[in-house]
Amino acid sequence: KAGVTQTPRYLIKTRGQQVTLSCSPISGHRSVSWYQQTPGQGLQFLFEYFSETQRNKGNFPGRFSGRQFSNSRSEMNVSTLELGDSALYLCASSLTTGVDQPQHFGDGTRLSIL
Amino acid sequence: KNQVEQSPQSLIILEGKNCTLQCNYTVSPFSNLRWYKQDTGRGPVSLTIMTFSENTKSNGRYTATLDADTKQSSLHITASQLSDSASYICVVILTGGGNKLTFGTGTQLKVEL
């Protein structure tokens, strides 16, 4: 069974631009969560989608948004990029939503802002 | 102050030796506590998941313990291998609805010959 696939693996953008990251969950998984990982802050939860609906949201500004499609694939969008948005963005999928659900992570998209 | 503190921040050990990583948390009430291993350039991989009522959970050479009274967890690695070199992250998941994950900043382990 294929794992969680994130594309692209690497991305370079400049300040003020916007970016869209993609995540394909494990087949059959309906919940997708997004995380930001930086050396200083570690892993931080962005949001979770289940059945095309945002179920939970972390403490990030509105520039960070996402959506989920009917096939459970998810995209994350960041608008008006800032230097501080440089990070590894990780996606994790699980069968369903709920705090007891094991999560399977992709290898992330490394976003660099110049 | 981070609500999930991990120690040490980094650790170097010789292949074949054992080591113990610590995780102290202040958040509560929690549903479960997880340990992840993250290799450089890869996403985290789950090692153990423990509910608040469990004291220990093993996964091969990895054994996690939990003391809910003192709010401490440890991850013990037995007979370390070079492939154990990675970052180990402790995650506390809160109850009360919502996806309330609180991550530690990790312990960077290096296993040398």
Side-chain angles (χ1 to χ4, degrees):
Chain A
K1 185 186 271 191
V4 177
T5 303
Q6 292 188 245
T7 56
R9 287 297 312 276
Y10 303 92
L11 204 49
I12 299 175
K13 292 286 187 179
T14 58
R15 289 168 53 191
Q17 288 186 310
Q18 75 162 13
V19 67
T20 299
L21 312 181
S22 179
C23 172
S24 293
I26 291 173
S27 178
H29 284 196
R30 296 169 59 197
S31 172
V32 173
S33 297
W34 288 90
Y35 300 87
Q36 181 194 69
Q37 186 175 33
T38 60
Q41 297 294 320
L43 272 160
Q44 293 181 285
F45 170 70
L46 280 158
F47 30 66
E48 179 197 13
Y49 284 86
F50 178 74
S51 293
E52 302 178 64
T53 303
Q54 187 180 89
R55 293 303 177 108
N56 298 292
K57 190 176 189 303
N59 297 321
F60 278 81
R63 300 186 297 108
F64 293 81
S65 63
R67 59 177 175 169
Q68 186 180 35
F69 302 95
S70 59
N71 62 359
S72 294
R73 190 178 70 86
S74 178
E75 288 183 345
M76 189 190 89
N77 184 274
V78 187
S79 62
T80 319
L81 287 165
E82 301 177 358
L83 292 177
D85 296 334
S86 293
L88 179 67
Y89 289 89
L90 291 160
C91 161
S93 76
S94 56
L95 275 171
T96 183
T97 188
V99 293
D100 60 336
Q101 290 295 306
Q103 290 188 314
H104 302 264
F105 283 84
D107 287 334
T109 293
R110 173 76 60 184
L111 176 63
S112 298
I113 310 301
L114 303 179
Chain B
K1 181 175 167 66
N2 200 335
Q3 295 173 303
V4 179
E5 299 268 356
Q6 290 188 244
S7 61
Q9 199 170 33
S10 61
L11 182 62
I12 301 174
I13 61 173
L14 294 176
E15 186 181 30
K17 297 296 185 183
N18 304 334
C19 68
T20 300
L21 313 181
Q22 299 290 343
C23 174
N24 296 336
Y25 58 94
T26 58
V27 291
S28 65
F30 77 92
S31 168
N32 59 77
L33 185 147
R34 306 176 185 182
W35 283 93
Y36 286 92
K37 177 189 178 189
Q38 186 175 20
D39 293 317
T40 301
R42 305 296 301 274
V45 173
S46 178
L47 293 175
T48 61
I49 301 175
M50 289 185 293
T51 65
F52 70 92
S53 61
E54 294 180 290
N55 298 122
T56 185
K57 183 71 71 78
S58 290
N59 178 1
R61 294 180 297 102
Y62 301 100
T63 299
T65 63
L66 174 63
D67 186 333
D69 292 331
T70 61
K71 297 185 177 179
Q72 295 180 324
S73 177
S74 64
L75 180 69
H76 186 73
I77 304 174
T78 304
S80 61
Q81 301 175 358
L82 296 178
S83 60
D84 292 331
S85 297
S87 177
Y88 291 84
I89 302 170
C90 171
V91 186
V92 177
I93 293 89
L94 300 179
T95 58
N99 195 330
K100 302 183 191 306
L101 276 70
T102 305
F103 293 87
T105 52
T107 291
Q108 190 66 44
L109 174 66
K110 185 172 183 181
V111 181
E112 295 182 337
L113 289 171

